[in-house]
Amino acid sequence: MSSILKIERLSHKYSSSWAIRDINIEISQTGVIGLLGSNGAGKSTTMNILCGVLNQTEGNVYINGSDTRQDPENAKANIGFLPQQPPVYTDLTVDEYLTYAAELRSVEKSKLRAAVNEAKERTGITHFSRRLIGNLSGGYKQRVGIAQAIVHRPKLVVMDEPTNGLDPNQLIEARKLIREIAVDHTVLLSSHILSEIQLLCREIIMIEAGRIIFSDSMDAFNNYAQPNTLLVRFENPPSVTDLQQVTGIPRVEYLSNGQARIYFDGDKTVTEKIVTASVQLGWKLQEIHLEKGLLDDIFKQLSNQSPN
Ligand SMILES: Nc1ncnc2c1ncn2[C@@H]1O[C@H](COP(=O)(O)OP(=O)(O)OP(=O)(O)O)[C@@H](O)[C@H]1O
């Protein structure tokens, strides 16, 4: 299958400092892909380059096989963009604005009306066709923003923090809409909120200090969060080497509070083995429990690994 989005060694420099460095991404399927990173990580820079709003310093971006620099027209025909602030004109009606957006995206004249109607239907705004955008609520303005991003039926829809600033009801509606759109589009969505990405995305790309630090399926990320460490305390602590003699323990570290963190490789009988070894070798086990990493901790842990 050919890639819907391919990013090769993308780097961007604002004046003297690099905002993103060596970003590589390849996406070939529909569904929601999350770009997660804290404020200033480089999400907007990456998205602005993909959408042709910003010219990269180095590297290449291909949208459905077209190079955004060599063949911008074809690349842009296959991409829809919802920036952080929906790019709507408040003094136009929904119909006027979407027609204008479709024209800008080179939708053929004879197909304009059908394209606008379809985008309105998909985003649930048909009943507001003649309403001035300035008179719509924030949630509906955002729907108009999504409608302009899909009006030309692009393969890739890029959304920069689309759920930011919505109230709880608007949030539920926006998530539902994004999921529906992702059935037949690839949606690349950015957020600095991990739980938001978990709710919506099948794949997660984490970016920190301008570099990718994790890129895999949401399932793989969640598995990463499965407990694979134990916290133990002994009255008569064995050496790290002695502990590692217990089958299935690749790594041990003693913490400053006297506990030891034992990393195990998925062997569910490891607790039993440690208890047995402790009795046999006189380590006098005082405490043993599984340590489940919280997802936010894992995010922090991965973020701290990022090179500066
Ligand atoms: N126009 C600019 N000129 C100079 N530096 C910039 C500019 N835009 C962004 N930066 C810097 O580039 C880095 C990446 O910023 P970017 O906006 O891409 O991050 P982000 O992950 O989208 O953050 P946020 O969620 O806050 O929008 C930051 O250090 C930022 O200060």
Side-chain angles (χ1 to χ4, degrees):
M1 196 186 291
S2 68
S3 322
I4 290 168
L5 170 67
K6 190 170 182 185
I7 301 181
E8 282 177 348
R9 308 207 57 161
L10 189 67
S11 298
H12 188 74
K13 206 185 211 179
Y14 292 107
S15 56
S16 61
S17 56
W18 291 99
I20 54 166
R21 205 77 175 105
D22 268 338
I23 302 279
N24 293 289
I25 296 175
E26 186 159 10
I27 303 171
S28 311
Q29 289 173 330
T30 57
V32 190
I33 289 102
L35 187 62
L36 176 71
S38 39
N39 290 334
K43 305 180 296 293
S44 298
T45 302
T46 307
M47 292 187 149
N48 286 335
I49 294 170
L50 299 193
C51 299
V53 178
L54 187 67
N55 213 347
Q56 69 264 40
T57 312
E58 286 174 14
N60 301 307
V61 176
Y62 303 91
I63 313 286
N64 203 37
S66 304
D67 187 319
T68 51
R69 286 217 270 212
Q70 310 293 329
D71 188 6
E73 227 164 86
N74 273 327
K76 282 186 183 168
N78 280 304
I79 195 164
F81 185 30
L82 178 67
Q84 264 182 29
Q85 296 302 325
V88 292
Y89 291 116
T90 49
D91 50 355
L92 293 186
T93 65
V94 169
D95 266 353
E96 285 166 349
Y97 170 66
L98 290 179
T99 306
Y100 172 65
E103 280 168 350
L104 278 184
R105 297 295 192 164
S106 309
V107 173
E108 278 174 46
K109 219 171 179 156
S110 61
K111 296 184 178 156
L112 274 177
R113 185 184 287 241
V116 169
N117 286 344
E118 187 186 320
K120 284 189 299 187
E121 236 164 73
R122 295 201 66 188
T123 50
I125 53 173
T126 306
H127 55 302
F128 285 140
S129 299
R130 291 192 201 139
R131 177 79 63 96
L132 278 181
I133 295 176
N135 294 337
L136 293 175
S137 68
Y140 273 100
K141 274 193 194 107
Q142 210 230 16
R143 280 169 184 255
V144 177
I146 295 178
Q148 67 75 33
I150 60 169
V151 72
H152 53 303
R153 292 178 160 201
K155 288 199 185 280
L156 176 68
V157 182
V158 175
M159 300 184 181
D160 197 355
E161 309 248 9
T163 52
N164 217 4
L166 297 180
D167 72 30
N169 284 328
Q170 291 170 342
L171 255 179
I172 293 168
E173 291 296 315
R175 287 187 196 124
K176 185 165 164 265
L177 178 55
I178 291 167
R179 283 195 198 97
E180 283 166 8
I181 286 172
V183 172
D184 47 13
H185 297 268
T186 299
V187 176
L188 179 68
L189 158 163
S190 76
S191 178
H192 60 277
I193 304 164
L194 176 59
S195 55
E196 197 55 41
I197 297 273
Q198 278 184 299
L199 273 172
L200 276 167
C201 304
R202 74 169 163 75
E203 276 187 47
I204 173 169
I205 299 167
M206 285 175 61
I207 180 170
E208 226 22 74
R211 291 186 190 257
I212 291 182
I213 55 168
F214 185 93
S215 177
D216 210 327
S217 66
M218 207 61 238
D219 285 347
F221 185 81
N222 289 333
N223 282 338
Y224 201 85
Q226 291 301 308
N228 62 355
T229 51
L230 281 165
L231 284 177
V232 294
R233 190 193 298 273
F234 304 98
E235 194 182 321
N236 183 19
S239 68
V240 166
T241 323
D242 285 346
L243 262 175
Q244 282 180 317
Q245 301 290 319
V246 181
T247 324
I249 300 185
R251 195 174 143 208
V252 175
E253 64 191 19
Y254 271 99
L255 309 176
S256 53
N257 62 3
Q259 283 181 319
R261 177 174 286 125
I262 294 182
Y263 294 81
F264 62 98
D265 53 11
D267 175 4
K268 298 222 163 47
T269 64
V270 70
T271 312
E272 207 180 306
K273 286 176 181 158
I274 292 169
V275 173
T276 308
S278 171
V279 171
Q280 283 173 352
L281 301 166
W283 297 341
K284 298 194 179 165
L285 184 67
Q286 293 175 315
E287 177 190 330
I288 183 164
H289 57 90
L290 280 169
E291 186 181 37
K292 177 150 175 61
L294 292 170
L295 289 178
D296 282 320
D297 290 342
I298 290 167
F299 179 36
K300 251 188 248 159
Q301 188 187 324
L302 286 163
S303 309
N304 290 337
Q305 285 170 11
S306 70
N308 281 312

